[in-house]
mmCIF file of all heavy atoms in Angstrom:
data_model
loop_
_atom_site.group_PDB
_atom_site.id
_atom_site.type_symbol
_atom_site.label_atom_id
_atom_site.label_comp_id
_atom_site.label_asym_id
_atom_site.label_seq_id
_atom_site.Cartn_x
_atom_site.Cartn_y
_atom_site.Cartn_z
ATOM 1 N N GLY A 7 1.881 13.683 -11.052
ATOM 2 C CA GLY A 7 1.628 14.862 -11.888
ATOM 3 C C GLY A 7 0.906 14.410 -13.151
ATOM 4 O O GLY A 7 1.301 13.426 -13.770
ATOM 5 N N GLU A 22 0.046 3.830 -15.244
ATOM 6 C CA GLU A 22 0.058 2.453 -14.720
ATOM 7 C C GLU A 22 -0.271 2.455 -13.224
ATOM 8 O O GLU A 22 -1.023 1.609 -12.753
ATOM 9 C CB GLU A 22 1.442 1.823 -14.945
ATOM 10 C CG GLU A 22 1.617 1.382 -16.394
ATOM 11 C CD GLU A 22 3.035 0.886 -16.710
ATOM 12 O OE1 GLU A 22 3.924 0.944 -15.834
ATOM 13 O OE2 GLU A 22 3.232 0.458 -17.854
ATOM 14 N N TYR A 31 -7.638 10.606 -6.110
ATOM 15 C CA TYR A 31 -8.048 11.983 -5.819
ATOM 16 C C TYR A 31 -7.409 12.906 -6.848
ATOM 17 O O TYR A 31 -6.279 12.674 -7.268
ATOM 18 C CB TYR A 31 -7.570 12.403 -4.423
ATOM 19 C CG TYR A 31 -8.203 11.606 -3.305
ATOM 20 C CD1 TYR A 31 -7.569 10.477 -2.791
ATOM 21 C CD2 TYR A 31 -9.437 11.976 -2.781
ATOM 22 C CE1 TYR A 31 -8.153 9.734 -1.765
ATOM 23 C CE2 TYR A 31 -10.027 11.237 -1.752
ATOM 24 C CZ TYR A 31 -9.378 10.118 -1.256
ATOM 25 O OH TYR A 31 -9.956 9.387 -0.256
ATOM 26 N N SER A 37 -4.618 24.662 -10.195
ATOM 27 C CA SER A 37 -4.385 24.889 -11.623
ATOM 28 C C SER A 37 -5.582 24.387 -12.424
ATOM 29 O O SER A 37 -6.595 24.002 -11.833
ATOM 30 C CB SER A 37 -3.083 24.221 -12.072
ATOM 31 O OG SER A 37 -2.581 24.885 -13.211
ATOM 32 N N SER A 42 -12.101 17.714 -19.306
ATOM 33 C CA SER A 42 -12.997 17.561 -18.153
ATOM 34 C C SER A 42 -12.558 16.383 -17.288
ATOM 35 O O SER A 42 -11.778 15.535 -17.732
ATOM 36 C CB SER A 42 -14.419 17.308 -18.653
ATOM 37 O OG SER A 42 -14.446 16.051 -19.315
ATOM 38 N N LYS A 52 -10.855 4.893 -14.355
ATOM 39 C CA LYS A 52 -11.048 4.911 -12.897
ATOM 40 C C LYS A 52 -11.900 6.109 -12.497
ATOM 41 O O LYS A 52 -11.762 7.188 -13.082
ATOM 42 C CB LYS A 52 -9.682 5.078 -12.199
ATOM 43 C CG LYS A 52 -8.802 3.857 -12.257
ATOM 44 C CD LYS A 52 -9.219 2.890 -11.188
ATOM 45 C CE LYS A 52 -8.311 1.695 -11.142
ATOM 46 N NZ LYS A 52 -8.610 0.821 -10.014
ATOM 47 N N VAL A 78 -3.391 4.631 -2.810
ATOM 48 C CA VAL A 78 -4.041 5.922 -3.073
ATOM 49 C C VAL A 78 -3.227 6.710 -4.098
ATOM 50 O O VAL A 78 -1.996 6.802 -3.985
ATOM 51 C CB VAL A 78 -4.136 6.746 -1.759
ATOM 52 C CG1 VAL A 78 -4.668 8.145 -2.030
ATOM 53 C CG2 VAL A 78 -5.015 6.036 -0.746
ATOM 54 N N LEU A 98 4.391 14.292 5.577
ATOM 55 C CA LEU A 98 3.515 13.610 6.523
ATOM 56 C C LEU A 98 3.549 12.099 6.295
ATOM 57 O O LEU A 98 3.658 11.318 7.249
ATOM 58 C CB LEU A 98 2.080 14.140 6.359
ATOM 59 C CG LEU A 98 1.085 13.722 7.415
ATOM 60 C CD1 LEU A 98 1.442 14.293 8.778
ATOM 61 C CD2 LEU A 98 -0.326 14.182 7.029
ATOM 62 N N ILE A 109 5.570 10.825 -8.886
ATOM 63 C CA ILE A 109 5.749 10.712 -10.332
ATOM 64 C C ILE A 109 5.687 12.130 -10.903
ATOM 65 O O ILE A 109 4.619 12.757 -10.921
ATOM 66 C CB ILE A 109 4.647 9.825 -10.981
ATOM 67 C CG1 ILE A 109 4.555 8.460 -10.276
ATOM 68 C CG2 ILE A 109 4.904 9.664 -12.483
ATOM 69 C CD1 ILE A 109 5.767 7.556 -10.453
ATOM 70 N N PRO A 135 -2.140 37.943 -6.276
ATOM 71 C CA PRO A 135 -3.424 37.514 -5.711
ATOM 72 C C PRO A 135 -4.579 38.448 -6.084
ATOM 73 O O PRO A 135 -4.385 39.638 -6.288
ATOM 74 C CB PRO A 135 -3.164 37.563 -4.207
ATOM 75 C CG PRO A 135 -2.131 38.632 -4.047
ATOM 76 C CD PRO A 135 -1.341 38.723 -5.322
ATOM 77 N N PRO A 144 4.679 41.382 -5.143
ATOM 78 C CA PRO A 144 5.057 41.061 -6.530
ATOM 79 C C PRO A 144 5.958 42.137 -7.146
ATOM 80 O O PRO A 144 6.964 41.817 -7.795
ATOM 81 C CB PRO A 144 3.715 40.974 -7.271
ATOM 82 C CG PRO A 144 2.696 40.743 -6.213
ATOM 83 C CD PRO A 144 3.211 41.400 -4.982
ATOM 84 N N ASP A 150 13.638 43.384 -7.417
ATOM 85 C CA ASP A 150 14.832 42.673 -6.913
ATOM 86 C C ASP A 150 15.433 41.799 -8.005
ATOM 87 O O ASP A 150 16.650 41.775 -8.204
ATOM 88 C CB ASP A 150 14.472 41.798 -5.700
ATOM 89 C CG ASP A 150 14.177 42.633 -4.464
ATOM 90 O OD1 ASP A 150 14.407 43.853 -4.515
ATOM 91 O OD2 ASP A 150 13.705 42.060 -3.466
ATOM 92 N N PRO A 166 -10.807 28.195 -9.337
ATOM 93 C CA PRO A 166 -11.537 27.383 -10.317
ATOM 94 C C PRO A 166 -12.990 27.107 -9.930
ATOM 95 O O PRO A 166 -13.861 27.115 -10.786
ATOM 96 C CB PRO A 166 -10.720 26.092 -10.387
ATOM 97 C CG PRO A 166 -9.365 26.466 -9.926
ATOM 98 C CD PRO A 166 -9.550 27.562 -8.931
ATOM 99 N N HIS A 184 5.643 49.640 -16.946
ATOM 100 C CA HIS A 184 5.735 50.431 -18.183
ATOM 101 C C HIS A 184 6.867 49.872 -19.021
ATOM 102 O O HIS A 184 7.766 50.581 -19.416
ATOM 103 C CB HIS A 184 5.990 51.908 -17.856
ATOM 104 C CG HIS A 184 4.924 52.490 -17.010
ATOM 105 N ND1 HIS A 184 3.687 52.850 -17.487
ATOM 106 C CD2 HIS A 184 4.895 52.731 -15.676
ATOM 107 C CE1 HIS A 184 2.947 53.306 -16.495
ATOM 108 N NE2 HIS A 184 3.646 53.241 -15.390
ATOM 109 N N CYS A 195 -0.220 23.300 -24.352
ATOM 110 C CA CYS A 195 -1.396 22.819 -25.090
ATOM 111 C C CYS A 195 -1.263 23.218 -26.565
ATOM 112 O O CYS A 195 -0.501 24.138 -26.892
ATOM 113 C CB CYS A 195 -2.669 23.420 -24.526
ATOM 114 S SG CYS A 195 -2.845 23.077 -22.773
ATOM 115 N N ASP A 210 -4.686 44.924 -24.169
ATOM 116 C CA ASP A 210 -5.788 44.883 -25.134
ATOM 117 C C ASP A 210 -5.820 43.592 -25.936
ATOM 118 O O ASP A 210 -6.658 43.418 -26.806
ATOM 119 C CB ASP A 210 -5.659 46.060 -26.130
ATOM 120 C CG ASP A 210 -5.806 47.374 -25.415
ATOM 121 O OD1 ASP A 210 -6.530 47.410 -24.414
ATOM 122 O OD2 ASP A 210 -5.165 48.357 -25.860
ATOM 123 N N PRO A 216 -8.156 30.495 -19.982
ATOM 124 C CA PRO A 216 -7.081 30.315 -19.001
ATOM 125 C C PRO A 216 -6.508 28.903 -19.031
ATOM 126 O O PRO A 216 -7.098 28.042 -19.696
ATOM 127 C CB PRO A 216 -7.803 30.559 -17.661
ATOM 128 C CG PRO A 216 -9.242 30.233 -17.913
ATOM 129 C CD PRO A 216 -9.494 30.522 -19.365
ATOM 130 N N GLU A 231 16.624 37.719 -27.062
ATOM 131 C CA GLU A 231 15.948 38.784 -27.825
ATOM 132 C C GLU A 231 15.392 38.232 -29.131
ATOM 133 O O GLU A 231 14.279 38.564 -29.556
ATOM 134 C CB GLU A 231 16.927 39.914 -28.122
ATOM 135 C CG GLU A 231 16.916 40.950 -27.034
ATOM 136 C CD GLU A 231 17.960 42.036 -27.244
ATOM 137 O OE1 GLU A 231 18.621 42.056 -28.298
ATOM 138 O OE2 GLU A 231 18.108 42.852 -26.321
#
Side-chain angles (χ1 to χ4, degrees):
E22 282 174 356
Y31 296 94
S37 205
S42 66
K52 288 279 184 174
V78 174
L98 190 65
I109 307 293
D150 288 352
H184 301 284
C195 304
D210 296 329
E231 270 175 6

